[in-house]
Every structure is written in structure tokens, then in C-alpha cells.
Amino acid sequence: MGVLPLVERVLTRRRPVFPLPASSSSVLGSLLAGSPCDASGTPRLCDLPSVGHSQVRRSSGFSHIIRRLPIRGNEESRLCKILFSTMGESILVWAQDPGQVALEIKNAVDERRLDGAWRLYEQHVHMDGFPRQSVLSKLVCGLAESCDRQWLCKASGLAEQLFEEKKHELLGKQALIYLSYVLAKCELAVPASTLLRKLVEVGEFPPAAVWTCVVAHISQTAAGAFLAAELVSEIGYIFKDNRVDPRKKSNKPLLLMRPDPVAFNLALTGCLVFGTTKKAEQLLELMPRVGIRADPDLLIVMAHVFERNGRIDEMKKLRRHIDDACGDLKDSQFQQFYNSLLSCHLKLRELTSACDLVLDMLRRAKKAKSSLAAARSVLEVVQEGRKPSLSMEDDSGAEELVASEELSLIKARPPSFTDFTRDRKFLRLDAEVKALLRHLSDKLQAQAELVKVECGILHPSEKIYAKLVRAFLEAGKIDDLAAFLIKVNNEESPVSRENSVVVQVVDACITMGLLEPAHDLLDELRFHGVRVSSSVYSSLLKAYCREGRMGEITALLKDAQKAGVQLDSSCYESLIQARVHQKNIAGALHLFREMKESSLLRSGQEDFEQLLEGCAGNGKPSLMSRLLMEIREDDRVECGVHDWNNVIHFFCKKRLMQDAHKAMRKMRALGHTPNAQTFHSLVTGYAAIGGKYVEITDLWGEMKALSGSTPVDFDQELLDSLLYCFVRGGFFLRANEVVGMMERESMFIDKYKYRTLWLKYHRTLYKGKAPKIQTEAQCKRREAALTFRAWLGFS
């Protein structure tokens, strides 16, 4: 087959054209004598010149093809005539019409043939650039509706490419917002937040309901919670100090993006659940400057933030607001607030305040229980013979039903783009936000272990008793501990002596080998007339016997006789064995006769070990097991460090940085080691002043020296603040050090923020060639900047 029949066949692929002359085949066949052929003598198509679509659509493209063929003189002109004679009729058939490709893209998306749609899109870009807005929006929304990570990544990559080429209008605001929502729902936090940031950057402001829903979805992970806090902070900064005038009509789209208390509540709760508490405190400082008034939910979240950062003064101020809003608060919210208040007292070792709070809680619970019992008796009389309307089980069943509905809403597939745009009031998104916020709040409430709620009544849990006992023992305040336990014993509801708080505290001390504090506690209790069960004396006597401390055994036996305590048989056996080990046969025989005369049976139920096993067997940690866990744990932070951190934080907020440095030097002189919170306050203080990058570099040197000598953990928030200051100031050697440390610890880094910072302040830095003459320091700075630029992803 010659070239002309081949060309004829290609040109007439879709619709017929005028037939070529019959003699043309022989003419061109003789011209191709030197061309590569297959076994049958037919030229191979793969060896024909490669032709792009743009070449085919121009006459110069045909000349280019002909020039590459081994054609002589007149035959070349004849071939040109043949080709150009058919160009007007069938040239678009060979190149394919872009409009036809666009229509095929739409059809492929409608038929869910995403592979084919994407290939057709690439073909259209190769032929005629990006498709028109309707086609591109349909393609991206179709990829998003699939909820497949592969297609979602392609869709987000396409959107970012359009933003880079400043052609985002081709995609449309609604399609971009929908894509961001689906990315967030499918746990792709980084591209979802990037799209929102780019929309704000180009002035296409997303409504508050939409971006709040994106924040709600991405807040469910640690990295996403950090990003959510950044996003709320950036959007809130736009409205800071009434910068946006609501009277201007041009600001109406911007005002629709204004953050509300729900957005701050989501970001703060996510920060608390995943431990980014200093970022949460920065959001709290931003709230009044944006015009956000705290609702009851935000009051509780504020309490958590103040507790985590040890701000006891703010907690005391907040307590007055909680008391004023008591009618609007739920039982779970009261539980969380008093849990935070108790924890804050313990952190700062304000044991008297913590004990007073526990005792006040016990008194209120005792009074509420008596009132509840009276109300129940009246209710039983009134409802006698009637069917009760609702029971406690019905309420719990309704709550479980609501929780299951919310969970199904969270896990449901996102709506289609049509349904998404049809919901103009964003009712579905509001429902998702409420469900996600409740999901995060439940996680936060699960961390409240110091206070429990029973029938709407607050009670101190075993955890708070364990922490208080540990704090008293560490401080050596046995008398104060005994006085507290006696008051607890008086306020406690009637319980058996074996299960009272007093008994369990003493038993825990014995188990941990703290025999002297246990003995001192027993003396104090006996002195104040508090009766203690015999199992406590038995446990302490056995412990003394194991250590062979005969003097303490004799004293304890006398105390037991004075208290009228009858020892069990296992205790006598331990005493007899101790006498035998001391070769005091007469004393052993005397004890044996005394046990025989008392007719004591072996009673293992009162034994401490079996009591402990029984407590562990019911599946709930008892006070004793809590005490054992608390005393064995070594996670305490010195209260002095919290005190000095509060002082340094105060100076930094007032921009008194010299006083803050003096406070840190005094802190170290007194033997307290600064921690991440100390340095974070100093770094943010210098950053707020502006231009103090040399001082921040000195702080970084102190931090590295401190980490080499003592085990200090530098968290993500501190390192992120340092990295921001170094990039802003152009200290790229130090910035690379911080990046290396964060990557070694697998910490999340918000690269979008640093790309924006680079483009704003260092866009033209080291753009040209390196100078021929430069010092070693200049060379290092240049290399560090180029390394950081490459890490950001810039070429």
C-alpha cells in the first residue's frame, strides 16, 4: 500500500471525502522505494512522521510531513494539492473537534467512566487547553463524588494547577467549595484546607457554614486539628479589631465568612483532644478581638485550656461566670469544669483549695441525695396506679438513638454536587457540624476522671482521692492528710468500714511499703475516734512481720487492743512466725495459746490481698488500685515550674521581655528546669514585639544546650513557633535545624503557611547567580536558603 491510499484512509476515517486518483498509488509507491516496509512491502505506520494535533490543524504541518518523506519534485506538489483539497472538509475529523471531546467528557462523567473522562480531559488539554467552565466543573465534581482517594488527589491537583495558572474561574466557586468539603470528609485535611485558603486568597469567600464543616471534619485527627486551628486563626485575623466595615455593600460576601462561636469551639476542642493547648490559648486571645462572645460550651472549653496551661487565676475568674450560667449548663459540663478546677489546684499543689472543693462536693451530694430520695417517695405516691411517662432507661435509649443517628450521618457518603448546591441553607452541613462537635466533646469529656456524675449529682472519683493522697505523702503532710480523711469519713454516705476511703488509703500505703505514714495515719484516726476495720491492722502487722520490726509490732498490738480490734487467725500466724524467726519460742507459744483460746477460724475474706483481688475482679478500678497506679507513676511536674511559667507568661503578655528573662534566670538558679511552655511564652513574646530574631536565635541555642544535658521534650507548637520566626526573619540555617528536628520526631508541618511566608518576604532572594566573591558565612547562608526553598517545593 502506498502513502496516498494510506493518507486517504486516515482522512476518510469518519466521513467520506472525494476519492483520490487511481494513478496516485503507483506514483507514490515508486517514491517510497527506500522507505522501511514490512514483509508484504507495506510501510509501517510507526515509522511515519509523528504528527501532533496542532500540526495537523495548520497547513505548515502538512508541509512538514511531506518534507520528511523521500518525495521528488512534481510528486511533492501533487501530494500537497491532494492533502489541501481535503483540508476544508475533513481536517477536524482527523484532529478531533474540541467541542466533541468536551461533550464526550460530560457523557463519560454521567456514565461514571472516570478513567475515560480523565483521558479525554488530557486529550482536550493537549489539543486546545483547558475545557470550558461547565465541562471542567462537571469533571471535578464527578471525581469528587466518587470519594476515591486516587480521583480526589487528581481533582485537588487540577484545582491547584488552575490556581497556579490563575485560571480558577474555569472551575467555579461552588465546585471548589464542594471539592474542599468532600476532601475534608474523606480525611484529606491538607488539600481541603489548601483549597479553602486559596479561595480566601483570591477573594472567593466561602460561606461560614461550609468552611466550618470543613474544620469540623479535619479536626478529627492530630494533624487536622492543628490545621483547623491555623485556618480559624487566619480567617479570624481578617475580622480582627473590626477591620471589615459591615456598612459597605462590597463587604457582604466577606461578612458571610465571619467565624461564629461554633467554629472556635470546634478548633479549640480539637486542640484539647490532641494536646495542642498553646495554640488553643492563642485562639482564646483572638476571640474577643473578633467579637465572639462565649456561650456555655465555650466556657467549658476555656476551662480545659486554662487547666492544661496552669492558669489558676483565670480559672477562678471563670468560676464566677460558671456560677452565673448554672441554669444553662448540663451535668456533664459541670463535671468537666470542676474536673479542670481540681486538676489545676493539684498542678500548683494548692492542696487546701482542692480538699475544700472535694468536701464541698461531698456536702452538696449528700444534701442532693436526701432531696432526691424525698422527691422519689413523693413521685411514687403521685404515680401510684398510673403508667409512668418516661423512665431513666427511656432517656438513655433516646440518647443512644441520637448518638447512632449522628454517627451514621458522619460516616455517610457526601451528597452529590446537585444536592449540595440545592441545599442553600446548608441544613445538612449544620447537622454534620453538630454531630462532629459532639463526637469531639465526648472524647474531651472522657478525659474528665476526677469527678463523676450519678443521677445528676457530682461526686469526687477515686482518681482525685489518689492524687490528693499522693500529693500529701510527697509533701510529708501526714497530719493534714489524716484531717482530710476524717472529714471525708464524716461527709461520706454510709458505707462499710472495709470499703471506706480511710481504709483504702491506709491499705494502699501499706501495699506500697509506706509503713510509717500508714502507722501515723492509724494513730491520727484512732486519736480522733474514727473506727478502722481489723483488716487494716492485720495488713500493717503482717508487713511489719515480713520486715522483722518487733518494736513496731509490739506498739501496733497495743494500739489494736486499745481500739478494741480483734485480729484474725492469719495475723496470729504471721506474728507466731516472726517470733520463731527471732527464736522467741516462749512468745510464739504465748501467741498460739491466745489464738486457741479465742477460737479464731481462718478468715481469708478480710485479708488485704483477697480484698484487692475482689476489687479488681468487678472490672472497675477501686480507690486502692487507683492509689497504687498513682503512686507508682512518675509523671509529676514540679509546682514551682508552673508558678514560674505563669510569672514568665505574665511578663511576656505585657511585652516586658527583660523581666521575663530575669524571671527565667531566677527560675534556673532555684533549681527549676524550664520546659517547653517556658520557651513558648518567650518566643511568642519576642514575636509579638517584632524584629527580635537574634534574641529568638539565642533562645534556640539555650534550648539545644538544655536538651543535651536534661531530657526536655520540645513539642510541635514550640518548634512551629520557632520555625515561623526563623523563616520570617530569614534565618534559614536555624530554620533547617528546626525542620530536621520536627521531621525526625514525625511532627506535622504546615508547608502552605511557610510557602506563603516565603513568597511574601523572600520571593526574590538568591534568584540570580551566586557572586564570584563571597565569604564562607555568605556561602552557607545562601546554601541554607536554597535548601529551604527546595524543601518548600519551589524550583
Side-chain angles (χ1 to χ4, degrees), residues 34-51:
S35 64
C37 302
D38 57 13
S40 62
T42 303
R44 294 194 298 268
L45 290 177
C46 60
D47 294 314
L48 290 175
S50 59
V51 183

Side-chain angles (χ1 to χ4, degrees), residues 106 158 209 232 237 258 315 438 479 529 578 590 667 682 727:
K106 286 187 173 183
L158 171 57
V232 173
Y237 186 80
R258 191 186 193 98
M315 285 293 294
R438 176 168 176 169
D479 296 344
H590 175 72
M667 172 185 182
L682 292 167
V727 177

Side-chain angles (χ1 to χ4, degrees), residues 226-282:
F226 190 88
L227 266 178
E230 291 279 3
L231 195 59
V232 173
S233 179
E234 291 169 9
I235 295 177
Y237 186 80
I238 299 173
F239 300 91
K240 187 178 177 182
D241 299 329
N242 297 319
R243 292 178 180 176
V244 180
D245 189 354
R247 295 170 296 181
K248 291 184 178 180
K249 291 184 179 180
S250 58
N251 289 335
K252 186 176 180 180
L254 179 57
L255 290 170
L256 293 175
M257 192 183 66
R258 191 186 193 98
D260 56 6
V262 176
F264 276 91
N265 200 350
L266 278 164
L268 288 168
T269 309
C271 287
L272 288 168
V273 169
F274 296 103
T276 52
T277 56
K278 290 179 277 295
K279 180 69 68 177
E281 191 167 12
Q282 292 174 359

Side-chain angles (χ1 to χ4, degrees), residues 303-357:
H304 281 285
V305 175
F306 292 146
E307 178 265 320
R308 300 283 181 89
N309 295 324
R311 314 291 185 218
I312 188 63
D313 293 333
E314 283 82 356
M315 285 293 294
K316 291 176 180 177
K317 294 176 185 176
L318 191 60
R319 188 177 184 182
R320 293 195 291 268
H321 292 285
I322 294 294
D323 292 338
D324 293 339
C326 60
D328 300 328
L329 294 177
K330 304 174 185 175
D331 296 334
S332 60
Q333 292 174 326
F334 274 113
Q335 176 195 10
Q336 293 179 67
F337 174 75
Y338 281 104
N339 180 87
S340 300
L341 185 58
L342 280 170
S343 180
C344 203
H345 283 312
L346 289 172
K347 277 185 179 179
L348 301 176
R349 288 298 185 265
E350 296 182 351
L351 300 182
T352 304
S353 300
C355 290
D356 291 342
L357 191 57

Side-chain angles (χ1 to χ4, degrees), residues 713-716 719 738-748:
D713 293 329
F714 298 132
D715 55 28
Q716 177 189 3
L719 294 177
V738 177
V739 168
M741 181 178 288
M742 295 181 77
E743 288 182 341
R744 283 195 301 273
E745 299 296 328
S746 300
M747 296 179 183
F748 171 75

Side-chain angles (χ1 to χ4, degrees), residues 421-491:
T421 53
R422 193 176 295 160
D423 185 11
R424 297 185 180 277
K425 294 184 178 180
F426 305 111
L427 299 179
R428 178 192 170 98
L429 299 189
D430 289 340
E432 286 188 22
V433 166
K434 291 177 182 177
L436 290 164
L437 179 57
R438 176 168 176 169
H439 183 63
L440 279 175
S441 300
D442 289 344
K443 288 184 179 179
L444 192 60
Q445 185 181 353
Q447 298 176 3
E449 299 180 331
L450 305 183
V451 180
K452 57 186 179 180
V453 180
E454 295 177 0
C455 300
I457 302 172
L458 298 180
H459 298 272
S461 68
E462 292 85 358
K463 184 82 172 179
I464 182 59
Y465 287 127
K467 286 186 173 292
L468 282 171
V469 170
R470 175 184 175 180
F472 276 120
L473 292 177
E474 288 174 353
K477 298 180 178 180
I478 305 300
D479 296 344
D480 294 339
L481 176 59
F484 169 67
L485 292 177
I486 290 167
K487 292 177 182 177
V488 168
N489 189 71
N490 294 334
E491 298 293 342

Side-chain angles (χ1 to χ4, degrees), residues 499-675:
N499 292 326
S500 65
V501 173
V502 172
V503 171
Q504 295 187 62
V505 168
V506 177
D507 278 339
C509 292
I510 295 169
T511 305
M512 294 302 301
L514 306 174
L515 304 184
E516 292 182 1
H519 200 157
D520 293 340
L521 278 174
L522 281 177
D523 289 341
E524 289 290 332
L525 296 172
R526 183 174 55 83
F527 179 76
H528 286 88
V530 178
R531 293 184 62 83
V532 181
S533 71
S534 60
S535 63
V536 179
Y537 285 93
S538 299
S539 300
L540 186 54
L541 277 172
K542 291 174 185 178
Y544 279 143
C545 291
R546 285 192 294 270
E547 296 186 5
R549 300 169 66 171
M550 301 307 298
E552 285 81 357
I553 291 173
T554 304
L556 188 59
L557 282 172
K558 291 180 180 178
D559 294 340
Q561 290 175 356
K562 291 178 182 178
V565 173
Q566 178 63 57
L567 302 177
D568 58 13
S569 59
S570 61
C571 184
Y572 272 103
E573 289 174 2
S574 298
L575 290 171
I576 292 169
Q577 289 178 4
R579 292 285 195 277
V580 171
H581 285 304
Q582 294 288 329
K583 297 183 179 180
N584 186 357
I585 306 301
L589 290 172
H590 175 72
L591 286 171
F592 180 75
R593 282 194 296 268
E594 184 177 335
M595 181 181 69
K596 192 176 180 180
E597 290 172 359
S598 301
S599 301
L600 293 174
L601 299 176
R602 298 181 61 86
S603 176
Q605 292 181 351
E606 295 183 4
D607 200 2
F608 172 71
E609 286 79 5
Q610 293 192 12
L611 179 63
L612 187 60
E613 290 176 4
C615 292
N618 58 14
K620 296 181 180 180
S622 66
L623 173 57
M624 282 190 293
S625 58
R626 286 281 190 186
L627 278 168
L628 299 180
M629 292 165 55
E630 188 66 32
I631 294 173
R632 284 170 181 156
E633 288 176 358
D634 192 18
D635 57 348
R636 55 186 171 180
V637 178
E638 296 181 14
C639 59
V641 175
H642 285 294
D643 292 335
W644 281 107
N645 280 345
N646 284 333
V647 172
I648 293 169
H649 179 73
F650 171 80
F651 285 136
C652 291
K653 283 189 71 175
K654 299 295 183 182
R655 310 295 185 257
L656 304 172
M657 301 310 298
Q658 291 184 351
D659 294 328
H661 259 289
K662 288 179 183 178
M664 190 177 76
R665 287 196 293 270
K666 182 71 173 177
M667 172 185 182
R668 299 184 74 169
L670 293 175
H672 303 298
T673 304
N675 58 11

